[in-house]
Amino acid sequence: MIQRIQTLFLSLVILFMAAFCVMNIWEKKSKTGNTTVSLNAFQMATTSDNIVINTQNTIWLAAIALVVIGLAAWSISQYKNRLRQMQIGFGISFMVSLLLGLIVYHERQAGSIIPDSAESTFGPGLIIPALALIANMLANKFIRQDEKMVRDADRMR
């Protein structure tokens, strides 16, 4: 049934990952403020005096987010097969964890471009995958509860 609570949580996963694709993940400015390194789901750009010096393609971050969106939508459509939903939920958790790991990797890689004395700020793009991971864990919890209720009801017959 589409009206179950886990559908709401999986829908939140879809919304969080869609928002991740358009949010800034990380930004670091030099002390003088003329050099900036910024990371989003599509690229890591180094700018100096508002002129782009270097860009590095990070499109795989957006690709992972799109895979998570697809998996969450597929999981919603698999409401009759709770075991498959749990497997898909594990895959979503793995992909979001991989995404968070890649974000930390790119942040560390970009941090060496500007000296450590510079100001570094994390954007909402770092928090959003963590929220998606929490929403997915809650969806998995409710899927397991549904499966347990069905198994208990079958035992009574």
Side-chain angles (χ1 to χ4, degrees):
M1 291 185 258
I2 300 296
Q3 66 266 23
R4 297 182 306 165
I5 187 76
Q6 54 264 37
T7 303
L8 174 68
F9 287 122
L10 289 169
S11 298
L12 281 174
V13 170
I14 292 171
L15 289 174
F16 287 146
M17 286 292 100
F20 168 78
C21 290
V22 296
M23 298 282 181
N24 190 24
I25 299 170
W26 178 80
E27 188 173 275
K28 187 172 188 177
K29 293 182 181 179
S30 65
K31 272 188 168 179
T32 59
N34 61 350
T35 305
T36 304
V37 178
S38 62
L39 174 67
N40 62 28
F42 296 98
Q43 69 178 0
M44 182 172 48
T46 305
T47 58
S48 181
D49 296 324
N50 294 329
I51 298 171
V52 177
I53 296 173
N54 187 15
T55 60
Q56 182 180 356
N57 190 6
T58 59
I59 193 104
W60 50 84
L61 297 176
I64 291 173
L66 291 175
V67 168
V68 169
I69 288 171
L71 285 173
W74 184 38
S75 181
I76 289 172
S77 70
Q78 296 295 314
Y79 61 90
K80 290 183 181 178
N81 191 344
R82 285 169 298 280
L83 294 176
R84 182 172 293 142
Q85 270 189 320
M86 286 189 275
Q87 291 170 346
I88 296 169
F90 174 74
I92 292 171
S93 294
F94 176 76
M95 295 301 282
V96 174
S97 299
L98 177 67
L99 180 68
L100 287 169
L102 285 173
I103 288 170
V104 169
Y105 168 76
H106 282 296
E107 182 271 328
R108 293 292 174 201
Q109 182 184 18
S112 64
I113 296 173
I114 298 177
D116 288 335
S117 59
E119 176 185 328
S120 177
T121 57
F122 287 101
L126 181 69
I127 303 297
I128 289 175
L131 293 174
L133 189 61
I134 291 169
N136 184 54
M137 288 173 19
L138 288 171
N140 286 340
K141 175 187 173 193
F142 287 109
I143 292 168
R144 279 192 302 275
Q145 280 182 355
D146 278 357
E147 181 63 21
K148 185 176 185 266
M149 283 191 318
V150 168
R151 287 180 189 249
D152 288 345
D154 285 344
R155 198 174 315 143
M156 297 299 251
R157 291 182 189 179

